[in-house]
């Protein structure tokens, strides 16, 4: 469990002690061997590891624990960076990172990590190449890695279902998107810990409402948005509040209920202004200037 990182830890400690490779390996192994151990291409035998740990003054148990900690820290750092690049829409950088980590046995020891890589590979494949078929294949494979024969889905699995729904939506397959969101909501409601999935539920309700709007189910879309807003208030979060008020306003805009859509657009602009989303505000102003397509 430790071999991939223990050599890196040995190297760090050796350098901190100002010790050369020759000094470290004298009477224990060859310099070529210690070089391979330090760069992670060779696994030290138990006897060798024992004498190396003695030479650098670190208990072998502590050395192994340090290597395990380094591995976990690396995995967490990779996940954090990928999420950050996804938020920035730097999909090319994410694919570069995934290409590296797919070869890293450390990262792939756990199914959740494999799933995370496949999930984000699917997202990036769609946004960079608009290859919906390949992207959906990645996402479905990612979901199947952990979801078989389960009584409920975790947050990451629900997020993958949401990503599948988004691709259906963006490729104008609105009915398939709706069916995906409905299934995700069923899994959330089935969970013994639904409160841990609150943010996912808010996001799915919002995306579900957008698909309904495209199919002209305006009342149903508004109802979902109101449910999501109620959840935001209950959870004391601003997450997607601006988008939800906008979506309600947009439904009323589509049917020409002027006084109502102006009220919701106004509320949406308050949140967008607070969040610094100038593009959204400009879009609302443009809709108001153009006027609704239908007047009742």
């Amino acid at each position: 469990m430790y071999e991939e990182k223990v050599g890196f830890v040995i190297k760090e400690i050796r350098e901190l002690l100002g010790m050369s490779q020759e000094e470290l390996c004298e009477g224990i192994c060859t310099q070529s061997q210690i070089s391979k151990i330090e760069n992670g291409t060779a696994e030290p035998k138990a006897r060798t590891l024992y004498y190396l740990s003695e030479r650098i003054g670190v208990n072998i148990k502590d050395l192994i624990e340090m290597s395990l900690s380094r591995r976990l820290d690396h995995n967490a750092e990779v996940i954090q960076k990928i999420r950050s690049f996804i938020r920035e829409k730097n999909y090319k950088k994410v694919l570069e990172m995934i290409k590296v980590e797919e070869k890293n046995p450390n990262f792939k020891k756990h199914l959740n990590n494999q799933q995370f890589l496949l999930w984000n590979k699917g997202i990036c494949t769609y946004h960079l190449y608009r290859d919906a078929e390949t992207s959906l294949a990645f996402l479905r494979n990612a979901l199947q890695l952990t979801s078989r024969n389960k009584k409920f889905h975790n947050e990451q699995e629900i997020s993958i279902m949401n990503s599948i729904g988004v691709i259906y939506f963006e490729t104008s397959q609105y009915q398939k998107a709706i069916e995906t969101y409905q299934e995700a909501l069923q899994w959330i409601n089935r969970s013994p810990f639904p409160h841990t999935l609150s943010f996912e539920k808010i996001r799915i309700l919002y995306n579900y409402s957008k698909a309904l709007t495209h199919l002209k189910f305006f009342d149903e879309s508004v109802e979902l948005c109101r449910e999501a807003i109620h959840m935001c208030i209950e959870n004391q979060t601003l997450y997607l509040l601006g988008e939800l008020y906008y979506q309600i306003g947009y439904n009323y805009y589509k049917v020409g209920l002027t006084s109502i859509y102006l009220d919701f657009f106004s509320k949406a602009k308050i949140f967008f202004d607070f969040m610094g989303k100038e593009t959204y505000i400009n879009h609302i102003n443009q809709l108001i200037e153009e006027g609704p397509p239908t007047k009742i």
Side-chain angles (χ1 to χ4, degrees):
M1 294 292 291
Y2 60 81
E3 63 269 13
E4 296 91 350
K5 290 293 182 183
V6 70
F8 302 153
V9 175
I10 289 172
K11 180 181 179 181
E12 281 190 350
I13 297 174
R14 175 180 64 77
E15 290 178 344
L16 284 172
L17 294 173
M19 186 184 295
S20 67
Q21 283 187 340
E22 292 92 335
E23 291 171 318
L24 174 60
C25 69
E26 185 180 359
I28 301 174
C29 61
T30 66
Q31 185 180 351
S32 174
Q33 285 176 309
I34 197 64
S35 179
K36 290 178 180 178
I37 290 169
E38 287 189 350
N39 64 32
T41 60
E43 175 185 349
K45 294 180 180 179
R47 180 185 177 89
T48 302
L49 185 62
Y50 173 77
Y51 286 120
L52 289 174
S53 66
E54 276 202 332
R55 183 68 52 87
I56 60 178
V58 177
N59 182 283
I60 190 170
K61 180 182 177 182
D62 293 337
L63 188 62
I64 293 173
E65 287 181 352
M66 289 167 69
S67 70
L68 288 171
S69 176
R70 281 285 301 276
R71 186 182 70 207
L72 295 173
D73 288 347
H74 171 78
N75 292 352
E77 184 180 356
V78 167
I79 290 171
Q80 183 179 9
K81 283 184 177 179
I82 287 178
R83 284 175 173 163
S84 177
F85 285 132
I86 287 288
R87 285 194 297 270
E88 296 168 7
K89 299 183 179 180
N90 191 346
Y91 304 116
K92 185 177 179 181
K93 184 64 177 178
V94 173
L95 283 183
E96 290 173 358
M97 290 186 67
I98 289 173
K99 188 175 182 180
V100 172
E101 297 305 326
E102 281 179 331
K103 299 175 183 177
N104 181 355
N106 251 343
F107 198 86
K108 292 187 68 176
K109 282 185 182 293
H110 302 288
L111 280 179
N112 283 341
N113 288 344
Q114 292 182 44
Q115 184 181 68
F116 181 81
L117 293 181
L118 262 179
W119 169 30
N120 286 277
K121 191 174 185 178
I123 292 172
C124 295
T125 298
Y126 176 73
H127 286 291
L128 283 176
Y129 309 115
R130 294 294 162 179
D131 185 349
E133 185 177 350
T134 302
S135 175
L136 286 169
F138 283 138
L139 294 174
R140 292 190 190 103
N141 288 339
L143 192 59
Q144 289 174 1
L145 277 177
T146 60
S147 64
R148 292 176 181 174
N149 303 319
K150 291 183 70 172
K151 293 183 178 180
F152 60 91
H153 287 338
N154 61 30
E155 182 178 357
Q156 183 162 283
E157 290 162 344
I158 297 296
S159 295
I160 294 169
M161 294 183 73
N162 179 68
S163 297
I164 292 172
V166 167
I167 292 176
Y168 280 139
F169 175 84
E170 293 197 1
T171 53
S172 302
Q173 300 179 73
Y174 302 121
Q175 188 56 46
K176 285 187 176 181
I178 286 171
E179 290 168 2
T180 303
Y181 296 136
Q182 287 174 337
E183 183 182 356
L185 289 173
Q186 288 172 0
W187 280 109
I188 291 174
N189 294 333
R190 194 181 303 174
S191 171
F193 312 107
H195 60 281
T196 64
L197 300 171
S198 294
F199 286 92
E200 284 304 315
K201 186 171 183 178
I202 290 169
R203 180 162 53 175
I204 287 168
L205 287 171
Y206 170 61
N207 287 333
Y208 185 0
S209 73
K210 291 198 299 179
L212 287 172
T213 298
H214 275 272
L215 294 180
K216 299 184 179 180
F217 294 115
F218 303 119
D219 291 338
E220 293 85 345
S221 175
V222 167
E223 185 178 345
L224 291 180
C225 289
R226 291 187 186 276
E227 181 182 351
I229 289 171
H230 179 70
M231 288 187 66
C232 288
I233 294 170
E234 275 194 336
N235 288 276
Q236 298 182 341
T237 177
L238 298 179
Y239 180 62
L240 290 181
L241 259 180
E243 287 85 348
L244 289 164
Y245 279 116
Y246 163 79
Q247 189 63 26
I248 292 177
Y250 186 69
N251 280 296
Y252 289 124
Y253 173 86
K254 293 292 287 184
V255 296
L257 294 175
T258 304
S259 61
I260 302 179
Y261 79 68
L262 286 175
D263 179 50
F264 280 99
F265 278 173
S266 177
K267 290 177 181 177
K269 286 168 67 175
I270 292 172
F271 288 103
F272 289 146
D273 182 56
F274 180 74
M275 301 297 289
K277 296 182 176 182
E278 191 67 28
T279 303
Y280 290 79
I281 295 174
N282 293 338
H283 174 66
I284 289 175
N285 288 338
Q286 183 178 351
L287 288 178
I288 293 173
E289 184 178 343
E290 293 174 354
T294 306
K295 292 187 178 180
I296 296 177

